[in-house]
Amino acid sequence: MNEPFAPWTDETATPLIRIEQVTKRFGDFTAIDDLSIDIFPREFFALLGPSGCGKTTLMRMLAGFETPSAGRVTIDGQDMGGVAPNRRPVNMMFQSYALFPHLTVWDNVGFGLKREGMAKDKLAACVDEMLKLTQLDALARRKPHQLSGGQRQRVALARSLAKAPKLLLLDEPLGALDKKLRQETQFELMDIQERTGTTFVIVTHDQEEAMTVASRVAVMNHGKLVQVDPPDQIYEQPNSVYVADFIGDVNLIPGRATQVGDMAELAWAEGQGTLLGQPGGGVKADTAASFAIRPEKIAIGREMPEARNRVQGKIIDIGYLGNLSTYHVKLPEGPVMTCEVGNRSRLSRRELTWEDDVWLSWSDTAGLVLPT
Amino acid sequence: MTCGCLGRIPQDWCCRHERARGFQPRAFIGRSAVKRAFTVIPYIWLLALFLVPFLIVLKISFSDIAIAIPPYTPTLELSEGWQGVRNFFGGLDFENFVFLTSDDLYWKAYLSSLQIAVVSTLITLAVGLPIAYAMARARDDWRPALLMLVILPFWTSFLIRVYAWMGILSNEGLLNQFLIWSGFITEPLVILNTNVAVYIGIVYTYLPFMILPIYASLERMDPSYVEAAEDLGCSRLSAFWIVTLPLARPGVIAGCFLVFIPAVGEFVIPSLLGGSSTLMIGKVLWEEFFSNRDWPVASAVAIILLLILVIPIILFQRQEVASRETEG
């Protein structure tokens, strides 16, 4: 079996990028707030967050278009302080693609190599290889305005990869594509990243995209990193209500943590039993906390279940999405819970309907108790 | 309006609906006729203010000088009927155009005009490009003010501004006074009534026509083009030459034509600021009309000037179309 790719767990691994206590201020506004992170070679690292969270500023600092107000950025052991964008071993794929409209696809891709002063025949071979990698061979003589959105995206990728940078920055690379093309391109991007062995840092506000492509996802908010972990951990082990809520759908039941040990208990309403789950985010006993449970981990039924974690409520809404059905269940003394049930067989009659009293239940390890 | 849910619509509503639709075609024709009338207006304008005067000038250029009012012959005598029309056309010839080739004053004047126009266009470009670039790079809240400053001179009469330059450039003018006062020179520089003064005048007058189109093309340029160029290894300076300038090309070309075309036929600036040795076709034209009162030769000069300018105008139009295609 293959060893999983996880250099961040290896004490001896040398990071490619070190961001050390970096702060960036624009006037009164602090875009990046005392942020430190190591990114390792061959990683596909996603910066994820709402707009204005500082993810683009962080990327532009790596590219050299912004200088940190405080702190240090090193790439491959070299301090990047005062190093101009054109002298960094970094290339960037711009959100608008920024393809030079007066140059052909071929010249766009060869632009960086030509600036490098590469010999003509070697340059041609390089460009042709890049065009082949991105399946653009047939379009080499076209100008950018003669291409579709997906083709432009590929030219931008080929151009930024042509100089074989140590680090490739991608600013919302798939933002301009429609959903179907975006999903295809995500896999293409991963494939290219693997084949070239380049370290990718991607900025996105699309959590699905980040989850799909990245080896690690950094969730940012207000210029700080909230959590940096592989996608499955981000989803299953969020360290805060913010991350749990930002990534995917989650039911949050507010209450008080009554007991915290290997497992944590949460009291959420008078006369109801406590909910049992794993403690997360350093939750302490006798503090305000929330119980976080993903909709797909909840079972729904008419009969009272055996499970310890069970709540009763009334169905107020049903959404049919084809592959699954969503039930909205109002708890008498709590929030509206969302519960997803996969529609596994094609021709089943729905047993539950509006206004039905139902039981929701989940296993002891399905939910998390997080501090609020 | 759709009739998608016909079942629910009362019968008579549908009838009314149909009747209402019956009226539509006539209303539609009415509106399109009005629309067409509006689109015709520019053509009427062109016809009345360009084509008709042009034909009149063309006709005069084929006529002969005469001591009369108007000072040329023949004129169309419709009272003489068919014979009058035949006399009219019989009296037209190319004599004036032949005359233009016999005196080297004319082709020298054309050539000198073209030369002065080319040189001043290049100087205007050299001065205007950095200004436009600086404006496009200025802070957002400064730009309207800077733009205003470029347009502001238009608020004063062009003639007064050229006169003001006479005050600045003359031997006792402000410029010489300043240079002598600051000790750079002891004798006043002779600038007024030389070609230098003409260049200064043209560059000054037409600078906004250079700045505005270049500014427009620089200002709407996505700043990530320059960043992408820097990211791919360009220095600031080479990014400007390799990316910014080629992308601003439509603006540069538009600016050059907007300066060059009127500068060729310029008359006021050379006659006020230039000297007796300044040879420009606009001046020649003026003298033929008002000093010699030779309208036919003057018209011939004007027609040739127009033919010379038609070439750059067509080039300009083509460039505009091409740049619009790339943007689309």
Side-chain angles (χ1 to χ4, degrees), chain B residues 8-24:
Chain B
R8 284 201 217 156
I9 296 171
Q11 202 58 45
D12 77 291
W13 189 92
C14 245
C15 290
R16 263 190 281 145
H17 183 64
E18 284 302 309
R19 244 181 284 143
R21 270 169 60 157
F23 278 113
Q24 266 181 356

Side-chain angles (χ1 to χ4, degrees), chain B:
Chain B
M1 269 189 277
T2 57
C3 253
C5 37
L6 260 176
R8 284 201 217 156
I9 296 171
Q11 202 58 45
D12 77 291
W13 189 92
C14 245
C15 290
R16 263 190 281 145
H17 183 64
E18 284 302 309
R19 244 181 284 143
R21 270 169 60 157
F23 278 113
Q24 266 181 356
R26 219 187 294 166
F28 181 73
I29 286 168
R31 219 173 301 146
S32 85
V34 172
K35 232 186 198 171
R36 226 176 293 156
F38 270 108
T39 51
V40 162
I41 288 176
Y43 291 102
I44 295 173
W45 182 275
L46 266 180
L47 193 76
L49 296 174
F50 175 74
L51 202 60
V52 171
F54 171 75
L55 289 175
I56 292 172
V57 171
L58 187 67
K59 187 257 145 187
I60 297 173
S61 74
F62 292 135
S63 308
D64 294 317
I65 189 167
I67 299 170
I69 297 175
Y72 53 82
T73 177
T75 49
L76 185 58
E77 300 291 345
L78 283 179
S79 54
E80 291 170 24
W82 183 236
Q83 187 59 40
V85 175
R86 236 194 274 170
N87 284 347
F88 174 74
F89 281 104
L92 299 179
D93 53 45
F94 288 95
E95 205 181 333
N96 299 312
F97 293 94
V98 176
F99 174 71
L100 291 188
T101 60
S102 65
D103 193 333
D104 60 1
L105 167 81
Y106 297 103
W107 67 261
K108 276 182 179 163
Y110 281 121
L111 223 58
S112 154
S113 289
L114 286 173
Q115 186 205 329
I116 288 176
V118 166
V119 172
S120 34
T121 302
L122 291 178
I123 299 173
T124 315
L125 177 63
V127 176
L129 185 62
I131 296 178
Y133 183 71
M135 279 170 62
R137 284 238 148 173
R139 272 172 43 190
D140 283 1
D141 45 343
W142 283 33
R143 282 187 207 162
L146 292 172
L147 208 57
M148 198 65 227
L149 285 175
V150 172
I151 300 167
L152 204 62
F154 289 124
W155 291 16
T156 323
S157 155
F158 160 64
L159 212 56
I160 289 174
R161 283 183 284 134
V162 177
Y163 264 111
W165 275 105
M166 292 172 77
I168 296 169
L169 298 176
S170 69
N171 287 6
E172 302 81 31
L174 285 174
L175 182 66
N176 275 317
Q177 280 184 32
F178 173 77
L179 289 175
I180 292 171
W181 170 80
S182 58
F184 279 114
I185 50 168
T186 49
E187 288 293 303
L189 296 172
V190 180
I191 302 174
L192 192 62
N193 302 329
T194 65
N195 278 0
V196 177
V198 176
Y199 287 130
I200 291 174
I202 292 178
V203 170
Y204 163 76
T205 307
Y206 292 108
L207 193 58
F209 296 108
M210 184 64 86
I211 292 175
L212 293 177
I214 299 179
Y215 168 75
S217 65
L218 285 174
E219 199 245 6
R220 62 165 183 236
M221 197 183 294
D222 182 352
S224 52
Y225 286 136
V226 176
E227 283 186 347
E230 284 183 45
D231 187 67
L232 293 167
C234 285
S235 64
R236 282 267 166 95
L237 190 70
S238 60
F240 176 81
W241 285 112
I242 300 171
V243 174
T244 309
L245 209 54
L247 292 183
R249 209 180 68 141
V252 171
I253 291 176
C256 286
F257 280 120
L258 287 178
V259 173
F260 175 79
I261 292 167
V264 173
E266 184 52 57
F267 150 71
V268 175
I269 295 169
S271 59
L272 290 182
L273 300 179
S276 50
S277 65
T278 306
L279 196 56
M280 282 193 83
I281 200 67
K283 241 171 92 179
V284 172
L285 193 64
W286 195 89
E287 272 157 22
E288 290 295 350
F289 255 113
F290 296 102
S291 308
N292 292 352
R293 278 186 63 79
D294 191 343
W295 287 24
V297 167
S299 299
V301 169
I303 295 292
I304 297 290
L305 180 61
L306 187 75
L307 290 179
I308 291 172
L309 287 182
V310 156
I311 298 162
I313 287 171
I314 288 173
L315 288 177
F316 174 54
Q317 296 269 350
R318 271 208 197 157
Q319 160 67 28
E320 289 282 286
V321 171
S323 76
R324 235 174 286 142
E325 267 170 11
T326 347
E327 272 169 31

Side-chain angles (χ1 to χ4, degrees), chain A residues 39-308:
Chain A
I39 299 171
F40 294 87
R42 304 180 78 90
E43 254 203 273
F44 202 137
F45 193 87
L47 291 166
L48 181 63
S51 59
C53 71
K55 57 189 192 297
T56 303
T57 309
L58 190 61
M59 166 171 282
R60 288 174 61 82
M61 279 198 285
L62 289 172
F65 296 124
E66 309 283 355
T67 45
S69 314
R72 211 160 74 110
V73 176
T74 51
I75 296 176
D76 209 19
Q78 196 195 350
D79 190 345
M80 285 292 127
V83 179
N86 56 342
R87 308 224 172 275
R88 294 186 178 211
V90 174
N91 282 123
M92 180 154 165
M93 187 182 145
F94 289 79
Q95 186 174 7
S96 62
Y97 307 147
L99 299 178
F100 304 126
H102 60 301
L103 300 178
T104 60
V105 168
W106 203 94
D107 288 329
N108 262 290
V109 175
F111 189 92
L113 298 171
K114 204 171 164 194
R115 302 317 313 152
E116 238 172 33
M118 183 182 268
K120 251 191 187 160
D121 45 342
K122 207 176 154 202
L123 184 144
C126 259
V127 172
D128 289 336
E129 195 195 315
M130 283 323 299
L131 291 177
K132 198 169 276 171
L133 180 72
T134 47
Q135 298 157 33
L136 287 164
D137 339 34
L139 307 171
R141 293 284 142 222
R142 297 235 185 128
K143 290 270 181 80
H145 72 270
Q146 297 164 315
L147 302 176
S148 72
Q151 290 165 342
R152 281 182 213 190
Q153 189 269 347
R154 294 215 297 277
V155 178
L157 183 65
R159 186 178 71 175
S160 52
L161 274 173
K163 285 182 77 177
K166 284 181 184 148
L167 170 64
L168 182 69
L169 306 169
L170 303 106
D171 188 1
E172 303 269 3
L174 311 177
L177 307 182
D178 58 59
K179 198 174 174 208
K180 197 131 197 170
L181 192 57
R182 196 157 63 218
Q183 284 168 345
E184 285 171 25
T185 317
Q186 280 168 4
F187 289 100
E188 229 174 81
L189 213 55
M190 290 158 73
D191 191 42
I192 287 173
Q193 193 258 347
E194 224 158 272
R195 266 198 278 170
T196 57
T198 314
T199 309
F200 277 26
V201 172
I202 181 175
V203 156
T204 177
H205 67 271
D206 179 348
Q207 42 134 329
E208 233 174 84
E209 187 175 304
M211 302 280 283
T212 311
V213 299
S215 58
R216 275 198 299 167
V217 175
V219 181
M220 287 185 75
N221 196 24
H222 298 308
K224 284 183 179 295
L225 293 172
V226 187
Q227 185 171 3
V228 185
D229 269 315
D232 55 331
Q233 282 182 43
I234 288 268
Y235 188 76
E236 303 292 3
Q237 304 278 333
N239 66 3
S240 60
V241 169
Y242 176 79
V243 175
D245 198 24
F246 189 77
I247 306 287
D249 296 321
V250 73
N251 293 295
L252 293 167
I253 306 170
R256 276 190 94 71
T258 51
Q259 207 189 329
V260 179
D262 282 346
M263 298 297 276
E265 282 180 47
L266 181 110
W268 63 282
E270 285 292 320
Q272 299 271 358
T274 55
L275 300 173
L276 190 68
Q278 286 188 326
V283 67
K284 288 188 187 70
D286 251 353
T287 54
S290 285
F291 195 89
I293 177 81
R294 301 279 184 197
E296 75 276 11
K297 294 188 170 61
I298 302 177
I300 186 166
R302 243 189 258 278
E303 307 300 319
M304 189 167 98
E306 291 290 305
R308 186 185 185 290

